Amino acid sequence: MTAQNLKWNEIHNGIWRAKIGNEQPISLLKAAEVKPDTEALDNLSGVTFPLDKTKISAEVINGKTYLRFPLQKEEELYGLGLNFKTHNQRGRILNLHVDHYGNGDSGRTHAPVPFYVSTDGYGVLIDAANYLTVYAGTGVRVDADEKPVLRDRNSDPKWEAQPYSDAVEILVPTDGTEVYVFGGKSMLEVVQRYNLFSGGGYLPPKWGLGFTQRVPTLFSANDILKEVADFESHDFPLDFIGVEPGWQTMSYPCTFEWEETRFPDPQGFVSTLLDKGIRSNLWINPYVSPVGSLYSKVKPLSGSHTVWNGIVPDLMLEETRNLLKEHFFENHLKIGVSGYKIDEVDGFDQWLWPDIATFPSGTSAEEMRQVYGLLVQNMTSKWFREMNQRTYGLVRASNAGASSFPYVIYNDYYSHKDFITALINSSFIGVLWTPEVRASKSAEEWLRRMQTVCFSPMAMLNAWADGTKPWSFPEVEAQVRDVAQLRMRLLPYMYTAFAQYHFEGIPPFRAMQLLEGFSFRSKKIEGKLDGTDNPYAGHKTKEVRYQYMMGDAILVAPMFIGETSREVVLPKGKWYDFYTGTFVGEEEIITIEPGLDNIPLFVKNGSIIPMTETRNRAPRTDEKMDLTIRHYGDIEGQFTLYDDDGVSFDFEKGQFSQVEIKVKKDKSGQFKGHILKPEKGKPYGYNKKVVWEYMTQN
Amino acid sequence: MTAQNLKWNEIHNGIWRAKIGNEQPISLLKAAEVKPDTEALDNLSGVTFPLDKTKISAEVINGKTYLRFPLQKEEELYGLGLNFKTHNQRGRILNLHVDHYGNGDSGRTHAPVPFYVSTDGYGVLIDAANYLTVYAGTGVRVDADEKPVLRDRNSDPKWEAQPYSDAVEILVPTDGTEVYVFGGKSMLEVVQRYNLFSGGGYLPPKWGLGFTQRVPTLFSANDILKEVADFESHDFPLDFIGVEPGWQTMSYPCTFEWEETRFPDPQGFVSTLLDKGIRSNLWINPYVSPVGSLYSKVKPLSGSHTVWNGIVPDLMLEETRNLLKEHFFENHLKIGVSGYKIDEVDGFDQWLWPDIATFPSGTSAEEMRQVYGLLVQNMTSKWFREMNQRTYGLVRASNAGASSFPYVIYNDYYSHKDFITALINSSFIGVLWTPEVRASKSAEEWLRRMQTVCFSPMAMLNAWADGTKPWSFPEVEAQVRDVAQLRMRLLPYMYTAFAQYHFEGIPPFRAMQLLEGFSFRSKKIEGKLDGTDNPYAGHKTKEVRYQYMMGDAILVAPMFIGETSREVVLPKGKWYDFYTGTFVGEEEIITIEPGLDNIPLFVKNGSIIPMTETRNRAPRTDEKMDLTIRHYGDIEGQFTLYDDDGVSFDFEKGQFSQVEIKVKKDKSGQFKGHILKPEKGKPYGYNKKVVWEYMTQN
């Protein structure tokens, strides 16, 4: 088959699809069963096809699909999986492959999403459930349109190990695939389109935004109740408890059945927690132990290979999913379990099913590896949706089309800085990521990690192996409590940010590149020849790193162990210190020395930040919170506060409120806040009395 | 297609082949054009098929071939590519893929040979020119014959992250392949079969076993002549000079044409060197520059993508090979160039042709990647063979079937210890490896590295980037000279070891596991749970490392920087210190403190080691060397000394000598050496006068 003229079909406003070669029985979007939010997509601006169609090529050769997309000179490419060390992927090669993260941005990662978004304002998604190789501006064709300069390494110091490349090339190891192009007037709008196409971002229940503690593996019901009491006595936020493997009669492989010496009365245990306003989240991995009641039923519907002696349910089969549903409803959902942590659906190769495994559905092991995270997310989220109950859990593998799933990705890796890079990159690819805290070598590291996890989609301490508590380092207990409670105070703001994720596709935590007016680019630093360490004098790239936005207003610039100062790149407009309201700079790079107590936060001029009282739990459905509304900067501002019942899916049927908050200057030039009445929609869970804080002294 | 009964056809004595699915147009052995040494194979013992045929399975599913071979409980597996950190591959997963070595034994390496040899005395070769995934006793099938013990991680401290696996499984991403099984009464005999099947190991010219210096990139003819003079004045061995990229009018990409300001008279330059007994070896990589005369001719016969702006000749096409031959003969071979260093035919992905490239021969980029090293070796070695002139060069990529090629593998990586591991592993897979020296941080490191490179297939200092000389650290100049001259003195012994490689398939440098009576096994060390660094409590493996045999008699136990003592595992039989003849131990682990001056060498009881006088060059064809014959230990010994003209292929037509050396006890119990006359065959390049040294005082 020779190169073909692709037929680009605009399937939604600003989203085009082309089909190449043979349709594949499985794809990422099929596994995720995406349900595009057509209405929200229609609300976005209209755009024209963003690429030169004549420069896109697709060819099927010997059962593989060869794809090429053009690149312009200054373009940068973001996305292409949950990378931990790099943002801009141009010039890199990714072998997209669901796996644990092994300390190099190779494409093997928890969410190797084959989607990239360009600084030129478009995105490309390859909807293939295979190990894709992406040359993101790396390969150079003999007949390239824009050829690199020919240089002699003998004599020309400008010789480069990686000459300029004018294309993204993607090898899909199947005889056909589907490709999507997303337009947008900005990178953010492209990402919005991608998220809305995937059904819109997930709106967690309010309790999901509270603090969660995962307890040691063998904790019993009583141990957990004592843990909850300890949180109370330490005056520490806690909304849900992660119950680790020991709740089961066997783990690795799992029975998904309660172990009765540690948990003699599961229903009573879950109810007791719920009465205290604490949800329970159960750890599982999906590999079924021969000793449980599920085994014999699922065995004929499982893969050829075991994982830790457990069988691997073929989740492509409805019959398998039904068997699991029955077992999980009976044992967990019916007694009030709020969600799951779904472990080890990513890798490592050493213990996951090998690529040589087979499955009764005919899905290859490779495809199963790429979609298993999507399949478990899709299956389990349907269970909770059927109960009209929002869940919020953890999963270790994901892929394209996952924006609407109620799961946050985490892993075993533990580089604090790289965790932040992952958090930032998650915003390009429609997934959520938590830089979970487990243990630390010092109080300083502990505090720094706790500060960042509180400014992430899930504020979690995972004590499964170490038995740590938020107060494990007494010398910083107060500061740890402060930041956890600050997160709780920001609930109105954060919940609205997640509502934006749902309704508009705007990621709640997002890269600086997704901010309008952010024009800093990554810089190439020339390489220096070193016969041993850099024999090709390869260059390095300096990027803006370790800073991100939470919602529209707050720039988070975390500190890391051993650092007393750092640079912060401030985008266009004036920026203010979150804690003091002081002006800090305007479209410039500042150096800050923030001290240990607080995580550096900066607020955009004119921002309004709704907060609530200091509290340790998300509100119950019928509970009203107080509002404190902050204003920053020297210009007027506006904020649309979102609210709903916080737990059900009724908001999807219009059961939510949106309240306009405005801060305007009065005749004397003083700022004055207004809440427009009446509230638009309901429920609205705030008391009428509002405290206004004008943070900046002008 | 369902599982099939494989038809095993004994194609040579002790070598069976089975064909599965469709024959592929390209394979490793096809690319290498192996010519089995049938006669030598027939001289090996007869063996029966070494595996339970009913436990071997092969199946083609959706265009991929699924292979399985059984494993017994205690088996260890060696080979599966040039690994740098591990020997026993059981329990590992290898994605065999020609590449630079990136600091992890993932299967991506310079010679990812899909051949393994088992401690149970058999070998398996998959003859596929594709990226293979090998689960070397890793995957566990639901229906495994030998199931691992089911354990509960909650309660059983013996729970293992990697349960027992009873099979090797290999995924071949094509719809058919050929598989070979090699029998043998020992691991060594299996390796011999593999090497003889590949045509027998390569016998280098004698000068190839001398010292080689690769000069800085931009060295001119005059600089090189001065370098040679410096070697003379420092009384340092030198047999060939490596001329680095600057000899060409352009490099990266290359013209393969002499640059006339640095090399105004190439023929005169090469001849002047030859007159001094020094050969010249030219650095190249095969990517053709647009500015050379070769470009326009080769362009239509090249791949779709460039490497450093150079085109990639499609070496699968005879026409391409002929064009290169003409150009290389004209510019290099005709004027007396002795060989090549063929760089960058392995990786990195960032600058090699991408997997999405296409080639006019129809060979896929993946296949081309797997065989390019074989193709360049095969092509160039034919050129020299046509001139009846042995060459000895360097190549950075190889694969199965390469034993008979005149090339040694090297790389950019620079871990001294891992270099030794690679040297050892090279003996399982029919390739040669040099732990080249480039630079060091201290005199100690310099000496330690020089000691080991002198006990390797190619004693090379690669000064391309650093301009180092053997005497760069004056404080150890004497010791460096000592070890280089010791290598020269051992030429009769080493040359015989290489003759064994050629005639019997016995690797000249070999792993301890290939020694009869070596019964030490790798040990599993239980893992300790660490929530961050080892969350699955994965085990580690302790192996016998950093010691190897050179020839039949000498055990080499290198020292590394910062180490003053080390353990040496002595196999069965008595062992003696090479330098003093003193008894050191017998089937035990000894700890030595050898000091800095010498590399620790131990000699097997009864060994005879023929040496020559201290000299700095290999002999000219008409030159006779003196013999000093050493005997070690307390028993009689025997040695067959091999010799030939040292430069041509006439030895293949029987033009060689084999002389029996015996040391026997006379009536008084004193050892006495004998050389059996007349010599069998000719040429025989030694003077009649022999000095006998009975090293051990009994």
Side-chain angles (χ1 to χ4, degrees):
Chain A
M1 185 179 176
T2 55
Q4 63 179 92
N5 282 328
L6 292 175
K7 281 184 200 127
W8 291 101
N9 185 12
E10 188 168 3
I11 55 165
H12 292 283
N13 171 23
I15 304 177
W16 292 263
R17 181 174 63 199
K19 299 184 178 199
I20 299 128
N22 292 324
E23 184 171 345
Q24 304 300 309
I26 184 166
S27 82
L28 301 175
L29 299 180
K30 281 176 188 166
E33 293 188 290
V34 297
K35 289 167 199 71
D37 185 342
T38 311
E39 200 181 316
L41 285 167
D42 286 342
N43 287 338
L44 295 176
S45 60
V47 287
T48 56
F49 192 85
L51 289 162
D52 180 347
K53 286 181 187 173
T54 67
K55 301 234 161 133
I56 302 174
S57 89
E59 204 172 346
V60 178
I61 306 172
N62 287 337
K64 294 185 183 185
T65 305
Y66 291 57
L67 301 175
R68 185 164 80 242
F69 294 87
L71 284 178
Q72 303 305 313
K73 277 260 158 73
E74 302 300 326
E75 264 186 274
E76 297 184 352
L77 303 176
Y78 292 88
L80 292 172
L82 191 63
N83 291 300
F84 286 74
K85 290 184 182 293
T86 55
H87 294 302
N88 178 12
Q89 298 303 309
R90 184 162 185 177
R92 306 193 70 254
I93 299 169
L94 289 308
N95 295 110
L96 298 177
H97 187 134
V98 170
D99 201 357
H100 79 289
Y101 179 73
N103 206 12
D105 288 354
S106 65
R108 279 192 178 242
T109 181
H110 310 276
V113 182
F115 172 70
Y116 63 87
V117 51
S118 159
T119 43
D120 276 12
Y122 68 89
V124 174
L125 170 70
I126 315 301
D127 183 25
N130 295 92
Y131 300 154
L132 306 184
T133 310
V134 181
Y135 297 87
T138 315
V140 181
R141 297 173 335 280
V142 176
D143 63 359
D145 292 311
E146 294 286 339
K147 290 187 178 52
V149 181
L150 176 67
R151 297 183 190 279
D152 176 13
R153 196 180 179 190
N154 290 335
S155 58
D156 187 342
K158 286 193 168 168
W159 178 88
E160 283 184 300
Q162 269 194 259
Y164 177 79
S165 164
D166 67 353
V168 176
E169 294 180 283
I170 302 154
L171 186 63
V172 184
T174 48
D175 63 359
T177 192
E178 298 191 358
V179 181
Y180 295 79
V181 167
F182 297 80
K185 61 179 168 23
S186 63
M187 283 178 79
L188 177 61
E189 202 184 79
V190 174
V191 166
Q192 285 180 264
R193 272 204 167 78
Y194 172 80
N195 287 328
L196 292 173
F197 176 68
S198 304
Y202 186 69
L203 178 61
K206 285 182 188 166
W207 58 260
L209 301 181
F211 194 83
T212 180
Q213 172 83 357
R214 301 203 70 86
V215 300
T217 303
L218 294 179
F219 257 33
S220 66
N222 282 338
D223 293 332
I224 291 170
L225 293 174
K226 162 127 192 356
E227 184 96 338
V228 170
D230 286 348
F231 269 73
E232 298 269 355
S233 66
H234 280 272
D235 182 26
F236 202 88
L238 182 67
D239 264 292
F240 58 116
I241 280 280
V243 188
E244 288 285 309
W247 69 270
Q248 293 175 82
T249 50
M250 177 178 261
S251 78
Y252 294 85
C254 295
T255 57
F256 318 105
E257 288 161 3
W258 295 87
E259 201 282 330
E260 60 184 14
T261 61
R262 288 185 290 270
F263 294 87
D265 174 16
Q267 170 134 32
F269 162 70
V270 173
S271 302
T272 305
L273 284 180
L274 278 174
D275 288 345
K276 294 174 191 293
I278 307 287
R279 264 80 177 178
S280 52
N281 174 294
L282 299 184
W283 174 96
I284 59 158
N285 61 36
Y287 311 116
V288 183
S289 168
V291 304
S293 66
L294 200 54
Y295 186 81
S296 56
K297 297 177 214 163
V298 171
K299 198 178 172 199
L301 307 169
S302 294
S304 59
H305 284 66
T306 62
V307 177
W308 294 306
N309 278 302
I311 51 173
V312 183
D314 185 343
L315 296 185
M316 288 293 290
L317 301 171
E318 195 183 351
E319 197 182 343
T320 318
R321 297 193 300 266
N322 286 342
L323 285 169
L324 291 173
K325 180 180 172 183
E326 190 183 14
H327 191 81
F328 280 62
F329 259 81
E330 190 61 34
N331 287 280
H332 321 140
L333 276 78
K334 274 191 185 163
I335 63 169
V337 165
S338 79
Y340 296 100
K341 167 179 172 175
I342 306 168
D343 216 359
E344 287 115 1
V345 284
D346 52 340
F348 300 51
D349 290 355
Q350 268 75 4
W351 35 84
L352 234 61
W353 64 89
D355 285 349
I356 202 159
T358 54
F359 288 86
S361 60
T363 308
S364 72
E366 170 181 336
E367 292 159 339
M368 196 61 99
R369 182 78 170 263
Q370 296 295 72
V371 302
Y372 212 85
L374 294 174
L375 294 173
V376 282
Q377 289 183 79
N378 191 23
M379 172 180 72
T380 52
S381 57
K382 281 180 181 171
W383 299 344
F384 288 95
R385 178 171 282 276
E386 201 172 303
M387 298 179 77
N388 193 25
Q389 185 184 311
R390 274 182 263 170
T391 179
Y392 199 46
L394 292 154
V395 72
R396 222 170 69 184
S398 195
N399 215 321
S403 312
S404 72
F405 290 143
Y407 285 97
V408 180
I409 306 171
Y410 64 96
N411 73 2
D412 282 333
Y413 185 69
Y414 205 51
S415 159
H416 188 193
K417 285 191 157 181
D418 292 355
F419 270 15
I420 302 308
T421 301
L423 176 57
I424 295 166
N425 282 329
S426 68
S427 66
F428 296 117
I429 55 173
V431 298
L432 300 173
W433 162 261
T434 173
E436 67 169 45
V437 183
R438 295 196 289 270
S440 291
K441 294 195 173 61
S442 69
E444 181 197 355
E445 185 193 348
W446 185 252
L447 176 56
R448 291 313 194 190
R449 284 186 178 272
M450 289 297 283
Q451 286 173 344
T452 52
V453 83
C454 287
F455 280 83
S456 86
M458 190 182 280
M460 170 168 65
L461 200 168
N462 179 6
W464 76 278
D466 301 288
T468 43
K469 320 283 177 195
W471 48 89
S472 279
F473 291 86
E475 58 272 51
V476 293
E477 179 176 347
Q479 292 97 318
V480 169
R481 183 186 303 105
D482 280 352
V483 71
Q485 289 182 338
L486 174 57
R487 179 184 175 91
M488 297 306 292
R489 290 201 63 199
L490 285 165
L491 190 56
Y493 174 81
M494 285 183 65
Y495 197 59
T496 299
F498 273 95
Q500 284 180 291
Y501 188 34
H502 176 73
F503 289 100
E504 301 171 63
I506 299 173
F509 294 84
R510 70 191 84 133
M512 298 310 298
Q513 285 80 3
L514 298 181
L515 194 69
E516 206 184 341
F518 186 82
S519 58
F520 294 85
R521 290 293 183 102
S522 49
K523 283 194 196 105
K524 198 187 263 192
I525 299 165
E526 297 298 331
K528 204 170 151 286
L529 178 71
D530 181 307
T532 291
D533 293 327
N534 195 8
Y536 299 95
H539 70 268
K540 286 185 179 154
T541 303
K542 187 179 151 98
E543 301 191 86
V544 175
R545 293 183 67 178
Y546 313 129
Q547 64 176 75
Y548 56 93
M549 297 297 297
M550 178 172 91
D552 293 335
I554 300 177
L555 189 163
V556 186
M559 298 297 294
F560 303 98
I561 186 172
E563 298 183 354
T564 53
S565 73
R566 66 160 288 168
E567 288 188 346
V568 181
V569 178
L570 298 175
K572 210 181 278 181
K574 292 181 177 173
W575 292 82
Y576 298 84
D577 183 273
F578 172 82
Y579 302 96
T580 63
T582 324
F583 172 74
V584 292
E586 179 174 4
E587 202 174 17
E588 64 188 299
I589 301 176
I590 59 170
T591 300
I592 56 169
E593 289 185 43
L596 191 63
D597 290 353
N598 289 322
I599 180 168
L601 303 174
F602 303 98
V603 183
K604 212 166 138 179
N605 195 12
S607 292
I608 288 169
I609 298 179
M611 299 172 67
T612 186
E613 72 278 11
T614 298
R615 52 188 301 140
N616 291 332
R617 298 263 189 291
R620 293 176 186 255
T621 313
D622 54 358
E623 191 182 353
K624 297 265 183 196
M625 294 195 289
D626 290 332
L627 269 185
T628 296
I629 300 179
R630 288 188 178 182
H631 171 267
Y632 289 83
D634 61 9
I635 55 174
E636 296 181 341
Q638 180 273 342
F639 187 92
T640 306
L641 177 65
Y642 173 86
D643 201 29
D644 61 22
D645 67 15
V647 293
S648 81
F649 289 98
D650 293 349
F651 71 96
E652 294 183 353
K653 296 168 206 135
Q655 302 293 307
F656 61 85
S657 56
Q658 277 179 317
V659 169
E660 291 293 313
I661 302 172
K662 289 199 172 163
V663 169
K664 298 192 165 207
K665 281 187 182 170
D666 64 15
K667 283 170 191 165
S668 65
Q670 293 298 302
F671 283 124
K672 192 161 183 335
H674 309 268
I675 293 192
L676 264 61
K677 307 280 161 123
E679 297 92 11
K680 196 175 136 196
K682 60 180 181 177
Y684 176 69
Y686 297 97
N687 292 315
K688 295 216 166 148
K689 188 173 159 277
V690 170
V691 177
W692 294 91
E693 295 183 347
Y694 306 103
M695 295 295 291
T696 305
Q697 306 303 316
N698 287 294
Chain B
M1 184 177 176
T2 56
Q4 63 178 91
N5 281 329
L6 292 174
K7 281 183 200 130
W8 291 101
N9 184 13
E10 188 167 4
I11 55 165
H12 294 282
N13 171 23
I15 304 178
W16 292 264
R17 181 175 61 200
K19 300 185 179 199
I20 299 126
N22 293 324
E23 185 171 345
Q24 304 300 308
I26 184 164
S27 82
L28 300 175
L29 299 180
K30 282 176 189 167
E33 292 189 290
V34 297
K35 290 166 198 68
D37 185 342
T38 312
E39 202 181 315
L41 284 167
D42 286 343
N43 288 338
L44 295 177
S45 61
V47 287
T48 55
F49 192 85
L51 289 163
D52 180 346
K53 286 182 188 172
T54 66
K55 301 233 161 135
I56 301 174
S57 88
E59 202 171 346
V60 179
I61 306 171
N62 286 335
K64 295 186 181 184
T65 305
Y66 291 57
L67 302 173
R68 185 165 78 241
F69 294 88
L71 284 177
Q72 303 305 313
K73 276 262 159 71
E74 302 300 326
E75 265 186 276
E76 296 184 354
L77 303 176
Y78 293 88
L80 292 174
L82 191 62
N83 291 301
F84 286 74
K85 290 183 182 292
T86 54
H87 295 301
N88 178 12
Q89 298 302 310
R90 185 162 185 176
R92 307 193 68 255
I93 300 168
L94 288 309
N95 295 111
L96 298 176
H97 187 134
V98 171
D99 201 357
H100 78 289
Y101 179 72
N103 205 12
D105 288 354
S106 64
R108 281 192 178 242
T109 181
H110 309 276
V113 182
F115 172 70
Y116 62 86
V117 49
S118 159
T119 44
D120 275 13
Y122 68 90
V124 174
L125 170 69
I126 314 301
D127 183 25
N130 295 91
Y131 300 154
L132 306 184
T133 309
V134 181
Y135 298 87
T138 315
V140 182
R141 297 173 332 281
V142 176
D143 63 358
D145 292 313
E146 294 287 339
K147 289 186 178 53
V149 181
L150 175 67
R151 298 185 190 278
D152 176 13
R153 196 179 179 191
N154 290 337
S155 59
D156 187 342
K158 288 193 166 166
W159 178 87
E160 283 184 299
Q162 269 195 258
Y164 176 78
S165 164
D166 68 352
V168 175
E169 293 179 283
I170 302 154
L171 186 63
V172 184
T174 48
D175 62 358
T177 192
E178 297 191 359
V179 180
Y180 294 80
V181 168
F182 298 78
K185 61 178 166 27
S186 63
M187 281 178 79
L188 177 62
E189 203 183 78
V190 174
V191 166
Q192 287 179 260
R193 275 206 163 79
Y194 171 80
N195 286 328
L196 293 172
F197 176 68
S198 305
Y202 185 69
L203 177 61
K206 284 183 188 167
W207 58 261
L209 301 181
F211 194 83
T212 182
Q213 173 83 359
R214 300 202 71 85
V215 300
T217 303
L218 293 180
F219 257 32
S220 66
N222 283 339
D223 293 333
I224 291 171
L225 293 173
K226 162 122 190 3
E227 183 96 340
V228 170
D230 287 348
F231 269 74
E232 298 270 356
S233 65
H234 280 272
D235 182 26
F236 201 88
L238 182 68
D239 264 292
F240 58 117
I241 280 279
V243 189
E244 288 284 311
W247 70 270
Q248 295 176 81
T249 51
M250 178 178 259
S251 78
Y252 294 85
C254 295
T255 58
F256 318 106
E257 289 161 3
W258 295 87
E259 200 282 329
E260 61 184 15
T261 61
R262 289 185 290 269
F263 295 87
D265 174 16
Q267 170 134 32
F269 163 71
V270 173
S271 301
T272 306
L273 285 179
L274 278 174
D275 288 347
K276 295 174 190 293
I278 307 287
R279 264 78 177 179
S280 52
N281 175 292
L282 298 184
W283 175 96
I284 59 157
N285 61 36
Y287 310 115
V288 184
S289 167
V291 303
S293 67
L294 199 55
Y295 186 81
S296 57
K297 297 176 212 162
V298 172
K299 199 179 171 199
L301 307 168
S302 294
S304 58
H305 284 66
T306 62
V307 177
W308 294 307
N309 277 302
I311 50 173
V312 183
D314 185 343
L315 296 184
M316 289 294 289
L317 301 172
E318 196 183 350
E319 198 182 342
T320 318
R321 297 194 299 267
N322 287 341
L323 285 170
L324 291 172
K325 181 181 172 183
E326 190 183 10
H327 191 81
F328 281 62
F329 259 80
E330 190 60 35
N331 287 281
H332 322 140
L333 274 79
K334 276 190 184 164
I335 64 171
V337 165
S338 79
Y340 296 100
K341 168 180 171 174
I342 306 168
D343 215 359
E344 286 114 2
V345 283
D346 52 339
F348 300 50
D349 290 354
Q350 268 76 5
W351 36 82
L352 235 62
W353 65 88
D355 285 349
I356 201 159
T358 55
F359 287 87
S361 61
T363 308
S364 72
E366 170 180 335
E367 291 160 341
M368 196 60 98
R369 181 79 172 261
Q370 296 296 70
V371 302
Y372 212 85
L374 294 174
L375 294 174
V376 283
Q377 289 183 81
N378 192 24
M379 172 181 72
T380 52
S381 55
K382 281 180 179 171
W383 300 343
F384 288 95
R385 179 171 280 276
E386 200 173 301
M387 299 178 76
N388 193 26
Q389 186 184 310
R390 274 183 262 170
T391 179
Y392 199 44
L394 292 154
V395 72
R396 222 169 69 184
S398 196
N399 215 321
S403 312
S404 73
F405 289 141
Y407 286 97
V408 180
I409 306 171
Y410 64 97
N411 72 3
D412 283 331
Y413 185 68
Y414 204 52
S415 158
H416 189 193
K417 286 192 158 181
D418 291 356
F419 270 15
I420 302 310
T421 301
L423 175 58
I424 295 165
N425 282 329
S426 69
S427 66
F428 296 116
I429 55 174
V431 297
L432 301 173
W433 162 261
T434 173
E436 68 169 43
V437 183
R438 294 196 291 270
S440 290
K441 291 194 175 64
S442 69
E444 180 197 356
E445 186 194 347
W446 185 252
L447 176 57
R448 291 312 193 193
R449 284 187 178 270
M450 289 297 284
Q451 286 172 344
T452 52
V453 84
C454 287
F455 281 82
S456 86
M458 189 180 281
M460 171 168 64
L461 199 167
N462 180 6
W464 77 278
D466 301 289
T468 43
K469 320 282 177 196
W471 49 88
S472 280
F473 290 86
E475 57 271 51
V476 293
E477 179 177 347
Q479 294 97 320
V480 169
R481 183 186 303 105
D482 282 353
V483 71
Q485 290 182 338
L486 175 57
R487 178 184 174 92
M488 297 307 293
R489 292 200 64 197
L490 285 166
L491 191 56
Y493 174 80
M494 283 182 68
Y495 197 59
T496 299
F498 273 95
Q500 284 180 291
Y501 188 34
H502 176 72
F503 289 99
E504 300 171 65
I506 299 174
F509 294 85
R510 70 192 83 133
M512 300 309 298
Q513 284 79 5
L514 298 181
L515 194 70
E516 207 183 340
F518 185 83
S519 58
F520 293 84
R521 290 296 183 101
S522 48
K523 282 190 196 113
K524 197 187 264 191
I525 300 165
E526 296 298 331
K528 203 170 150 285
L529 178 70
D530 181 307
T532 291
D533 293 328
N534 195 8
Y536 300 95
H539 70 268
K540 285 186 180 150
T541 304
K542 188 181 152 100
E543 301 191 86
V544 175
R545 294 183 68 180
Y546 313 128
Q547 63 176 80
Y548 57 94
M549 297 298 297
M550 178 172 90
D552 292 336
I554 301 178
L555 188 163
V556 186
M559 298 296 294
F560 303 97
I561 186 172
E563 297 183 355
T564 52
S565 73
R566 64 160 289 168
E567 288 189 347
V568 182
V569 177
L570 297 175
K572 211 181 279 182
K574 292 181 178 174
W575 292 81
Y576 298 85
D577 182 273
F578 172 82
Y579 302 96
T580 64
T582 324
F583 172 74
V584 292
E586 178 173 6
E587 203 175 17
E588 63 189 297
I589 299 175
I590 59 170
T591 299
I592 56 169
E593 290 183 42
L596 191 62
D597 291 352
N598 290 320
I599 180 169
L601 302 173
F602 303 98
V603 183
K604 213 162 136 180
N605 196 11
S607 292
I608 287 170
I609 298 180
M611 298 171 67
T612 187
E613 72 278 11
T614 298
R615 51 187 302 138
N616 291 331
R617 298 266 188 289
R620 290 173 188 260
T621 312
D622 54 358
E623 190 182 353
K624 297 266 184 197
M625 294 195 288
D626 290 332
L627 269 184
T628 296
I629 299 180
R630 289 188 176 181
H631 171 266
Y632 288 84
D634 61 8
I635 56 174
E636 297 181 341
Q638 180 274 341
F639 187 91
T640 306
L641 178 64
Y642 173 86
D643 202 28
D644 60 23
D645 68 14
V647 293
S648 80
F649 289 98
D650 293 348
F651 71 94
E652 292 184 353
K653 298 167 204 135
Q655 302 293 308
F656 61 85
S657 57
Q658 277 179 316
V659 168
E660 289 294 311
I661 302 171
K662 288 201 172 163
V663 170
K664 297 193 165 208
K665 282 188 180 170
D666 64 15
K667 284 170 189 163
S668 66
Q670 292 298 300
F671 283 123
K672 193 161 181 340
H674 310 267
I675 293 193
L676 264 63
K677 307 281 159 124
E679 295 94 9
K680 196 174 138 198
K682 61 178 180 178
Y684 176 67
Y686 296 98
N687 292 314
K688 294 216 165 146
K689 185 172 162 276
V690 169
V691 178
W692 294 91
E693 294 183 346
Y694 307 103
M695 295 295 290
T696 305
Q697 307 301 321
N698 289 294

